[in-house]
């Protein structure tokens, strides 16, 4: 007899459900009428080109981060790369009509390049470069810092393709009094006001002229996703990602430190000298963040994993630094009393994150934390606990920790 509790679900509906889930529903024809798929009810809101598995911190402006266990790939897939917007992204982008202006008081000329001219007039290059938001890890600060409560996921490393910023700046000509560059993007201020920029930051001229500093149009050999700055963005390894301007329309060569939106006050600045947690710091005692600190992330397993006592636990992750390379990677299972070595890969190029692996043995059943600690070639290493408190909660490079239960 026909089970009349089940009604026939139309093939077209099944197909659209399968698309939303991203895979075929194997026994789809048996789904009881009116029942919601668990897999769909668990999903969060979706953004163009971004996985539904990312964590949404804010949707206006869009700020979404990547859970640590989804950063296990050697190069972060485009749909898993975090998004940090300060304003509203541009719409109706036509890459064929996109242009980039270079000007400013320390530019020897004013030039405007179409995207196609950039691609054909300058040497095309690719580097694997880690971008990390200066506020990554902010959630841990106490007293708490206002702003997006990033946990560990405002970071990713991808293959960027584009041209060297220095080649383009040299083509325009750099006057001898140049000290800084600033960027302007096509996004708009949250208020909608055309007179205000969402963000307009920059870097010292020496940083702009580094061989890895680039103007990029591709991420992992594909167009940069809309939310990550399509069709053109700056990429500066080792500096807070806020310097890497998205939807890039204009670069100014400045004879002074760039004074655009979010360059002043306490934005992307930390106290020039350490202060007590919660202290009030005067603006003149705040310094612009330049090099980011050494850091690492355990991307496998997911925190909370269980394992049997007779098994070894494989762990894996990445480490990055603004220095030349990471030279030592260690882990601890006893809250930092003893450290054991991980295997560590070589760096593809400066600013690419490096991968580590180890097999962990546990002495008895119970709760453990696995901590990871990176050290770079200059001897910089990660603190076990939260580093210097600062009013805006930047530069938290404390060791990443995951919980493991041994059964
Ligand atoms: N035009 C523009 N560029 C921008 C931003 C922005 O809001 N607008 N955000 C900055 C900040 S604070 C960060 S951390 C990075 C984030 O890059 P992503 O969104 O590609 O991850 O872009 C930077 N570049
Ligand atoms: Mo950022």
């Amino acid at each position: 007899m026909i089970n009349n509790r089940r009604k026939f679900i139309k093939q077209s509906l099944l197909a659209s459900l399968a698309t939303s889930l991203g895979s075929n529903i194997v026994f789809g024809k048996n789904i009881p009428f009116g029942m919601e798929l668990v897999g769909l009810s668990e999903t969060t809101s979706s953004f163009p080109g971004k996985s539904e598995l990312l964590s949404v911190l804010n949707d206006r402006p869009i700020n979404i981060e990547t859970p640590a266990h989804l950063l296990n790939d050697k190069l972060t897939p485009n749909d898993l790369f975090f998004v940090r917007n300060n304003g509203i992204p541009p719409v109706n982008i036509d890459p064929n009509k996109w242009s980039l202006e270079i000007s400013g008081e320390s530019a020897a000329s004013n030039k405007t390049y179409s995207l196609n001219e950039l691609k054909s007039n300058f040497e095309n290059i690719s580097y694997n470069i880690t971008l990390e938001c200066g506020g990554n890890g902010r959630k841990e600060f106490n007293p708490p810092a206002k702003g997006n409560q990033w946990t560990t996921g405002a970071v990713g490393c991808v293959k960027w393709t584009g041209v060297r910023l220095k080649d383009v700046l040299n083509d325009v000509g750099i006057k001898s009094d140049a000290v800084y560059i600033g960027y302007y993007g096509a996004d708009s201020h949250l208020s909608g006001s055309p007179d205000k920029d969402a963000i307009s930051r920059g870097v010292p001229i020496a940083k702009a002229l580094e061989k890895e500093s680039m103007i990029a149009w591709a991420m992992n050999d594909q167009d940069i996703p809309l939310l990550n700055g399509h069709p053109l963005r700056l990429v500066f390894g080792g500096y807070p990602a806020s310097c890497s301007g998205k939807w890039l329309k204009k670069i100014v060569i400045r004879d002074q430190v760039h004074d655009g939106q979010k360059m002043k006050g306490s934005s992307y600045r930390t106290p020039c000298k350490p202060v007590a947690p919660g202290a009030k710091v005067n603006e003149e005692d705040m310094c612009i963040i330049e090099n980011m600190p050494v850091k690492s992330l355990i991307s496998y397993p997911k925190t909370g994993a269980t394992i049997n006592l007779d098994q070894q636990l494989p762990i894996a992750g990445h480490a990055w630094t603004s220095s030349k390379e990471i030279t030592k990677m260690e882990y601890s299972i006893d809250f930092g009393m003893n450290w054991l070595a991980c295997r560590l890969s070589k760096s593809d190029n400066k600013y690419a994150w490096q991968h580590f692996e180890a097999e962990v043995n546990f002495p008895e059943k119970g709760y453990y934390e696995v901590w990871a600690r990176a050290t770079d070639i200059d001897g910089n290493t990660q603190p076990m606990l939260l580093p210097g408190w600062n009013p805006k909660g930047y530069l938290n490079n404390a060791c990443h920790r995951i919980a493991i239960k041994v059964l």
Side-chain angles (χ1 to χ4, degrees):
M1 216 185 91
I2 293 169
N3 181 347
N4 60 11
R5 284 188 300 117
R6 296 186 198 279
K7 268 206 186 160
F8 177 69
I9 296 187
K10 277 203 193 129
Q11 283 301 321
S12 59
L13 176 61
L14 262 185
S16 78
L17 283 174
T19 310
S20 321
L21 283 165
S23 60
N24 180 33
I25 306 165
V26 178
F27 294 112
K29 67 177 181 5
N30 300 338
I31 302 170
F33 180 72
M35 178 178 270
E36 244 186 65
L37 296 178
V38 171
L40 277 180
S41 60
E42 276 185 344
T43 55
T44 52
S45 32
S46 64
F47 297 97
K50 292 292 151 185
S51 164
E52 300 196 336
L53 300 171
L54 300 184
S55 314
V56 181
L57 303 185
N58 191 353
D59 62 4
R60 196 190 145 83
I62 298 171
N63 286 289
I64 52 187
E65 74 169 320
T66 320
H69 67 282
L70 295 181
L71 285 171
N72 199 38
D73 297 271
K74 298 215 158 155
L75 290 176
T76 311
N78 289 2
D79 67 331
L80 292 178
F81 199 91
F82 78 101
V83 176
R84 196 296 185 234
N85 285 350
N86 290 267
I88 305 299
V91 289
N92 301 327
I93 296 165
D94 181 352
N96 291 314
K97 296 208 179 106
W98 196 266
S99 61
L100 172 65
E101 177 193 324
I102 318 274
S103 54
E105 59 269 29
S106 294
S109 66
N110 272 16
K111 283 196 182 176
T112 299
Y113 304 91
S114 69
L115 182 51
N116 294 325
E117 282 169 337
L118 284 176
K119 289 183 181 178
S120 52
N121 295 3
F122 300 95
E123 183 193 349
N124 290 196
I125 50 154
S126 295
Y127 286 112
N128 298 341
I129 292 177
T130 311
L131 282 190
E132 181 181 19
C133 177
N136 195 25
R138 174 177 293 136
K139 189 172 195 286
E140 301 301 320
F141 281 101
N142 195 8
K146 287 206 195 93
N148 289 296
Q149 297 298 300
W150 302 110
T151 65
T152 57
V155 64
C157 180
V158 301
K159 174 186 175 190
W160 300 100
T161 300
V163 294
R164 288 200 171 89
L165 175 58
K166 81 172 160 109
D167 290 351
V168 180
L169 296 181
N170 283 330
D171 191 56
V172 172
I174 307 167
K175 288 193 193 161
S176 59
D177 61 356
V179 297
Y180 231 85
I181 66 109
Y183 70 74
Y184 294 91
D187 47 342
S188 42
H189 192 265
L190 275 185
S191 64
S193 160
D195 312 323
K196 284 191 192 156
D197 297 309
I199 186 169
S200 170
R201 304 199 69 247
V203 299
I205 195 77
K207 180 71 187 176
L209 298 178
E210 271 189 0
K211 78 176 195 311
E212 296 86 1
S213 294
M214 54 196 297
I215 304 175
W217 55 77
M219 207 167 140
N220 294 326
D221 298 314
Q222 292 162 319
D223 282 352
I224 296 175
L226 170 70
L227 294 176
N228 300 108
H230 175 71
L232 201 63
R233 77 173 298 168
L234 285 166
V235 177
F236 295 107
Y239 266 42
S242 54
C243 300
S244 298
K246 306 194 279 188
W247 310 290
L248 184 65
K249 287 301 295 174
K250 182 170 152 183
I251 295 173
V252 283
I253 310 178
R254 305 293 315 265
D255 65 0
Q256 61 180 83
V257 174
H258 184 56
D259 51 0
Q261 186 72 250
K262 307 220 171 180
M263 284 300 295
K264 294 281 201 51
S266 54
S267 292
Y268 302 100
R269 290 178 184 237
T270 50
C272 306
K273 295 198 185 100
V275 299
K280 170 130 184 35
V281 190
N282 294 329
E283 278 189 13
E284 62 271 22
D285 298 326
M286 298 284 278
C287 287
I288 299 175
I289 299 170
E290 296 193 335
N291 285 318
M292 293 282 286
V294 58
K295 201 160 165 181
S296 61
L297 181 86
I298 305 167
S299 54
Y300 186 88
K302 186 177 174 176
T303 186
T306 58
I307 191 165
N308 288 329
L309 183 57
D310 58 3
Q311 290 177 313
Q312 278 192 324
L313 176 75
I315 61 166
H318 319 283
W320 59 98
T321 174
S322 50
S323 297
K324 201 164 149 266
E325 63 177 327
I326 300 286
T327 44
K328 187 160 73 173
M329 191 66 218
E330 302 159 292
Y331 71 91
S332 172
I333 59 166
D334 58 5
F335 299 96
M337 289 300 287
N338 294 285
W339 294 88
L340 291 159
C342 300
R343 294 187 298 282
L344 178 67
S345 76
K346 286 268 159 230
S347 176
D348 303 319
N349 50 256
K350 199 173 180 190
Y351 308 126
W353 67 17
Q354 290 164 248
H355 319 295
F356 66 84
E357 286 176 341
E359 285 76 38
V360 182
N361 292 300
F362 297 94
E364 56 185 276
K365 293 178 183 178
Y367 173 91
Y368 293 85
E369 288 189 7
V370 178
W371 294 11
R373 181 170 74 181
T375 304
D376 69 22
I377 194 161
D378 297 323
N380 301 307
T381 192
Q382 295 181 255
M384 283 186 260
L385 303 174
L386 215 65
W389 182 91
N390 61 90
K392 286 286 187 88
Y394 297 120
L395 308 184
N396 176 4
N397 69 332
C399 293
H400 184 215
R401 307 150 53 185
I402 60 167
I404 299 293
K405 205 165 173 187
V406 179
L407 306 170

